[in-house]
Amino acid sequence: MSLKRFTLSLYLLCALALLEPHIIQCRSPEMETFSCYWYTDDFPHELEPGKIQLLYCIRSSEGEEWKDCPDYTTSGENSCYFNASFTSIWVPYSVRLYIADQLYDEKDFRVEDIVIPDPPVGLNWTVLNTSPSGVYTDVEVTWKPPPSADVQNGWLIPFYQLQYKDVNATEWHEVCIARAKLRDLPQAGAIQRYWE
């Protein structure tokens, strides 16, 4: 088999695998709850309610007990929500996606490894000063942590990254956010915030 044919075959297998039902992601916004999301693309066409199951277990030395998803509605379609009573940190979880009793995907994780905080809120920027030539502008950017982040107790400490770019540019530039005021931003620049 030629390398080109092998590469094409491998590509098609990967593409077909992505079309099959699979777990997209498990995510915790604050290390107190989490949700898992999956893709089915209506496979295998108009499934009856209850035919799709996400089973989970908390792995321990005492053995495994697989249980059904505690809440299929709170996080939306094709998802499972685990409230605080079903969430433990520093312990390994396994989740399995079944359709009509056939296993399609399985993921292993710890809650502390799947934390993706909600985006910051109240993003605002204010022009403080414009240079006499009109080429540069001083801008102050402010935001607050998301309500889901328990930053008062230090349970979750989000780190933010601030980037800007000129309107017609494709390249973003990172700005040190330790300073309260950003200096020498091009007046035509656009500001965008990113979070980790």
Side-chain angles (χ1 to χ4, degrees), residues 125 127-139 164 166 182-189:
W125 62 287
V127 174
L128 300 176
N129 197 4
T130 302
S131 69
S133 66
V135 174
Y136 293 102
T137 302
D138 295 337
V139 176
Y164 75 94
D166 291 328
L182 307 176
R183 302 283 182 200
D184 300 330
L185 294 179
Q187 185 172 359

Side-chain angles (χ1 to χ4, degrees), residues 14 35 53 59 62 69-70 72 89 96 100 107 110 116-117 125-126 129 153 166 184:
C14 291
S35 298
Q53 282 186 296
R59 301 215 182 249
E62 298 154 12
C69 164
Y72 283 105
I89 56 172
R96 291 179 177 171
K107 299 276 186 220
R110 293 174 183 264
I116 302 173
W125 62 287
T126 305
N129 197 4
N153 294 323
D166 291 328
D184 300 330

